[in-house]
Amino acid sequence: MTYKTILLHLHDIGRADRLLQAAIPLARDMNAHLTALAVVPPYIVVPGDSGASVTIDEHRDVYRGDMVKLKQMFTETTAGQPLKAEWREADAGFFTVANIICDHGRCADLIIASQSDPKWVSSSLIEDPVHVAMDSGRPVVLIPNAGSTSLVPKRVTIAWNGRREAARAVFDAMPLLTAAKDVNVVWINPEKEQYLAGDLPAAEICAALARHGIKAQASQASATGSDFGPELLRQAKVFGSDLLVMGCYGHSRLREFILGGATRHVLGHMGLPVLLAH
Amino acid sequence: MSIKTILLHVNDERRVAGLIDAAAHVATRYESHLTGLYVMPPVPTLGATSLGASLIKSGLAQFRAEAKRVQMAFEDACKGRPFVAEWRLADARHQGVAETVMEHGRAADLIIAGQRDKSFDFTHLLDVPERLAIESGRPVLIVPWAGRFASFGKRVTVAWNGRREAARAVFDALPLLKAADNVRIIWVNPQKDQVKAGDLPTAEIASTLARHGVRCEAASTVASDIRVGDALLSGLTDDGSDLLVMGAYGHSRLREFVFGGATRHILDHMTVPVLMSH
């Protein structure tokens, strides 16, 4: 299977080049329909001086100006390319941008978005890759703010711990695994943790991958709780990975998602594209 | 992508033939590796009296004997078939049967299980198919306990509501959808107004599926006073569908699951095999 419909969240003029550099070759390779989506950020409602609330929307007008530029960048880089490109705009209104990305993304094989950048002035209003990974029901590939942008990976590291999120990620990543030359399944052995469902050996998932024609090797690393994230990134680097595939661990609490420590670390320090699934 | 690794949960010797029929249908088409799994139930923690111990011992002996009979029936039914069949006997140890099946199913493309037979009063098997659907992270094909399904999936109904779980189910079902003669995507509209064809909320997912070569049509059903579950079931009969694909809705509350009404209704009253994902 390949990805036939890809949704790209284009959000920041400063990083649009990187996102397009990642998305276009992948869409071309897979002969996919590439939809770029820009979303007007939501209204901000704050308490006013006299007690009534005030709805702020100037930032939305400013962003609409940015969207013109984003559309231009998308149209120019996809012109003449052998792929179907579609531009879309949406408005978060009183919802969140992530809600809108999910709505559109649920009909796509794959969602591509950016690693978030807390230093970007619009970050808190526009970026929430975790929410998209947790709620879209689709795999999400995040492009790092610095580092490799290639989504035609030759070497892939899979973080495996036998849990349902890892299974989701592996099977969601299949088209990318099939195209890669080498796949390394890393089982991080948790010391001090109970012998739980994560005792499923990586050998079994390697056998399952082999039946899909994917040559994967199994390896094991050791880490204690807070070192999982750094160890994972280290393993990916040592293997020379172009892509890291991992489950997105967390749970929802009221309207937010609380992330697991390893996921949080990887999302904060990734230097390569990461495919997340939940 | 195809279905190369299947885990078939068989814990009830009366269901073996029916389950193998369904499993063989899928395994034959994709030349899969089919693993049949029987799980020895968890050891009940009775007091350490000699009476308790001997009850446990004879209970376990009965299950072991059943396991042997199920194994023979499984191996017989798979003889001469064009797919690899593997038998596994596992121990639930201190976790439940569902958890054990899930462990073995994490590396499978598809898990197949039987609909719960409410007349079959073994509590250790009570909630297996539903928990697999919600917690396994893999798609689960649930086979109705009544009827034989040596062939299914010619006409498929997909229940779509734009939510995460529906997205999971549709994309998980892709290999089966591609093999169907016709796939009907329905949005069960709980209101009384008809929706214009072009506005159908199913139009976009239908486009995505069409890009994968799925022969599909977008449709909607009005379910004014009848419940969603009922509407789905009667729609299956009207359309002549022999497979239903839907998201499994529910969440855990402490260690119990609360299922959405439609999910519960289908789980209880299914008339054709149902593929569920969460």
Side-chain angles (χ1 to χ4, degrees):
Chain A
M1 189 188 97
T2 57
Y3 302 126
K4 287 285 181 215
T5 305
I6 298 174
L7 182 79
L8 167 66
H9 178 209
L10 263 190
H11 65 331
D12 172 17
I13 293 172
R15 282 176 284 171
D17 276 331
R18 292 179 63 76
L19 290 168
L20 292 167
Q21 264 167 42
I24 292 172
L26 176 65
R28 238 186 8 232
D29 240 40
M30 304 226 163
N31 200 18
H33 181 111
L34 176 63
T35 300
L37 172 65
V39 185
V40 180
Y43 295 97
I44 299 173
V45 182
V46 294
D49 293 329
S50 54
S53 62
V54 174
T55 303
I56 301 173
D57 66 358
E58 283 83 10
H59 59 288
R60 290 159 45 84
D61 286 329
V62 171
Y63 194 79
R64 281 198 190 90
D66 285 358
M67 277 165 67
V68 172
K69 177 77 181 144
L70 288 172
K71 177 178 181 179
Q72 184 193 359
M73 291 172 82
F74 179 69
T75 312
E76 282 171 7
T77 45
T78 52
Q81 294 272 0
L83 57 88
K84 282 166 234 74
E86 177 193 341
W87 172 256
R88 273 192 205 173
E89 292 176 6
D91 189 329
F94 288 99
F95 296 102
T96 66
V97 172
N99 287 147
I100 307 300
I101 305 293
C102 284
D103 285 347
H104 289 257
R106 289 201 191 101
C107 295
D109 289 295
L110 179 75
I111 298 172
I112 300 177
S114 176
Q115 176 191 17
S116 59
D117 179 3
K119 298 196 301 304
W120 184 42
V121 63
S122 304
S123 181
S124 62
L125 264 187
I126 292 181
E127 296 184 303
D128 195 353
V130 171
H131 185 116
V132 179
M134 298 289 271
D135 201 32
S136 62
R138 305 310 304 132
V140 179
V141 172
L142 296 187
I143 307 304
N145 297 323
S148 156
T149 56
S150 170
L151 284 185
V152 186
K154 302 251 185 327
R155 296 175 74 78
V156 183
T157 291
I158 296 174
W160 180 255
N161 63 1
R163 288 168 66 182
R164 65 169 289 289
E165 292 85 352
R168 273 289 168 212
V170 171
F171 287 98
D172 280 354
M174 211 58 92
L176 290 166
L177 301 177
T178 307
K181 275 196 165 45
D182 297 289
V183 176
N184 182 31
V185 179
V186 179
W187 179 43
I188 297 199
N189 184 7
E191 297 160 350
K192 298 183 187 175
E193 274 196 16
Q194 269 190 308
Y195 196 59
L196 296 166
D199 57 323
L200 187 71
E204 185 146 11
I205 192 68
C206 288
L209 290 173
R211 291 184 197 117
H212 283 279
I214 297 163
K215 246 189 14 231
Q217 66 187 58
S219 60
Q220 194 178 309
S222 261
T224 48
S226 59
D227 294 332
F228 270 81
E231 180 58 20
L232 199 41
L233 287 177
R234 198 189 70 85
Q235 289 281 331
K237 193 167 186 163
V238 161
F239 188 68
S241 313
D242 307 300
L243 174 72
L244 174 61
V245 173
M246 66 184 284
C248 188
Y249 298 89
H251 58 276
S252 68
R253 195 172 187 80
L254 301 180
R255 299 180 76 239
E256 283 191 26
F257 287 104
I258 311 291
L259 265 193
T263 309
R264 200 171 345 114
H265 181 92
V266 169
L267 293 189
H269 299 87
M270 49 190 267
L272 78 171
V274 178
L275 182 143
L276 289 173
H278 176 78
Chain B
M1 185 171 103
S2 62
I3 300 172
K4 297 307 264 177
T5 305
I6 302 173
L7 181 75
L8 170 65
H9 176 225
V10 262
N11 248 84
D12 177 357
E13 60 185 312
R14 301 169 308 164
R15 307 282 303 269
V16 176
L19 289 171
I20 302 267
D21 268 357
H25 174 70
V26 183
T28 301
R29 162 168 280 133
Y30 299 102
E31 296 179 297
S32 325
H33 180 109
L34 173 66
T35 299
L37 173 70
Y38 182 98
V39 181
M40 291 287 293
V43 178
T45 43
L46 294 174
T49 64
S50 59
L51 180 62
S54 71
L55 272 177
I56 293 172
K57 207 163 156 211
S58 75
L60 286 180
Q62 285 192 328
F63 285 122
R64 231 172 265 125
E66 183 188 36
K68 256 272 139 260
R69 292 193 299 272
V70 172
Q71 177 182 2
M72 277 171 41
F74 175 80
E75 285 169 352
D76 259 350
C78 292
K79 228 175 250 163
R81 304 262 206 170
F83 52 80
V84 174
E86 173 195 343
W87 172 254
R88 280 193 201 170
L89 174 65
D91 225 304
R93 291 171 301 187
H94 301 291
Q95 54 187 15
V97 170
E99 279 88 351
T100 309
V101 177
M102 273 183 246
E103 264 183 29
H104 289 260
R106 285 277 148 67
D109 290 289
L110 178 70
I111 297 175
I112 301 180
Q115 177 198 20
R116 179 159 48 104
D117 173 2
K118 283 189 297 255
S119 70
F120 186 51
D121 195 34
F122 275 132
T123 51
H124 67 279
L125 294 180
L126 257 190
D127 53 1
V128 171
E130 32 268 83
R131 292 195 56 200
L132 290 177
I134 298 270
E135 287 178 86
S136 66
R138 305 310 303 131
V140 183
L141 181 75
I142 305 179
V143 182
W145 68 264
R148 295 288 286 255
F149 301 93
S151 162
F152 60 90
K154 272 209 164 58
R155 293 186 64 82
V156 184
T157 289
V158 170
W160 179 256
N161 64 1
R163 288 169 65 182
R164 185 195 158 277
E165 293 81 358
R168 270 291 166 213
V170 169
F171 288 98
D172 279 349
L174 210 45
L176 297 172
L177 301 181
K178 284 162 81 161
D181 290 341
N182 188 69
V183 175
R184 186 181 67 121
I185 309 167
I186 62 165
W187 172 280
V188 185
N189 179 2
Q191 289 148 353
K192 296 189 180 180
D193 335 302
Q194 278 288 5
V195 178
K196 291 197 300 289
D199 294 343
L200 280 175
T202 50
E204 184 154 7
I205 189 67
S207 300
T208 298
L209 291 178
R211 288 185 196 117
H212 282 283
V214 176
R215 288 164 286 270
C216 57
E217 57 186 8
S220 91
T221 297
V222 179
S224 40
D225 290 0
I226 35 176
R227 299 169 304 168
V228 171
D230 278 326
L232 278 175
L233 286 179
S234 58
L236 291 176
T237 316
D238 291 343
D239 181 64
S241 285
D242 57 3
L243 173 67
L244 172 64
V245 173
M246 63 183 279
Y249 298 87
H251 57 277
S252 65
R253 202 171 182 79
L254 299 180
R255 298 194 77 238
E256 280 191 24
F257 277 91
V258 179
F259 289 94
T263 304
R264 176 83 269 149
H265 188 84
I266 301 291
L267 285 168
D268 288 343
H269 299 101
M270 62 176 72
T271 49
V272 300
V274 182
L275 185 95
M276 284 196 184
S277 287
H278 177 82

